[in-house]
């Protein structure tokens, strides 16, 4: 029987995420997340005893560095109204 982790209050997100949670957090499949970790677009995980967890703050920093998403005001085709 495996131990269940205590549930956090809804207003307190977890600091460490599993592989599946980290992938869902950035909106990709676990397989694509693995590729992104391998090519350094996403951070490497931390090891906590036998668990592998991703630091949500490091994921946020890596996500901010991904290309795209910035709208160039001079490019009228990028602006959606």
């Amino acid at each position: 029987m495996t131990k269940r982790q205590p549930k956090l209050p809804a207003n307190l997100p977890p600091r460490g995420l599993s592989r599946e949670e980290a992938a869902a957090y950035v909106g990709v499949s676990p397989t694509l997340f693995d590729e992104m970790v391998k090519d350094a677009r996403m951070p490497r995980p931390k090891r906590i005893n036998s668990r592998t967890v991703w630091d949500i703050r490091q994921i946020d920093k890596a996500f901010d560095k991904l290309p795209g998403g910035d709208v160039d005001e001079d490019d009228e085709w990028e602006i959606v109204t």
Side-chain angles (χ1 to χ4, degrees):
M1 178 182 258
T2 60
K3 287 185 181 180
R4 290 186 174 220
Q5 292 182 314
K7 296 217 180 219
L8 294 172
N11 63 343
L12 182 62
R15 172 76 188 266
L17 303 176
S18 69
R19 172 180 168 260
E20 292 80 11
E21 291 167 333
Y25 182 70
V26 297
V28 299
S29 70
T31 302
L32 178 53
F33 187 78
D34 292 342
E35 291 175 26
M36 295 174 80
V37 171
K38 188 174 181 177
D39 66 21
R41 288 181 287 168
M42 284 290 134
R44 294 179 54 88
K46 294 181 176 284
R47 296 287 297 177
I48 302 174
N49 293 342
S50 63
R51 293 224 25 192
T52 301
V53 295
W54 276 262
D55 182 336
I56 199 167
R57 294 177 188 163
Q58 295 301 317
I59 292 171
D60 285 339
K61 287 179 184 178
F63 190 86
D64 288 343
K65 291 178 183 177
L66 291 174
D70 295 330
V71 176
D72 181 355
E73 291 181 18
D74 295 331
D75 187 353
E76 63 187 63
W77 294 103
E78 288 292 326
I79 300 173
V80 178
T81 57

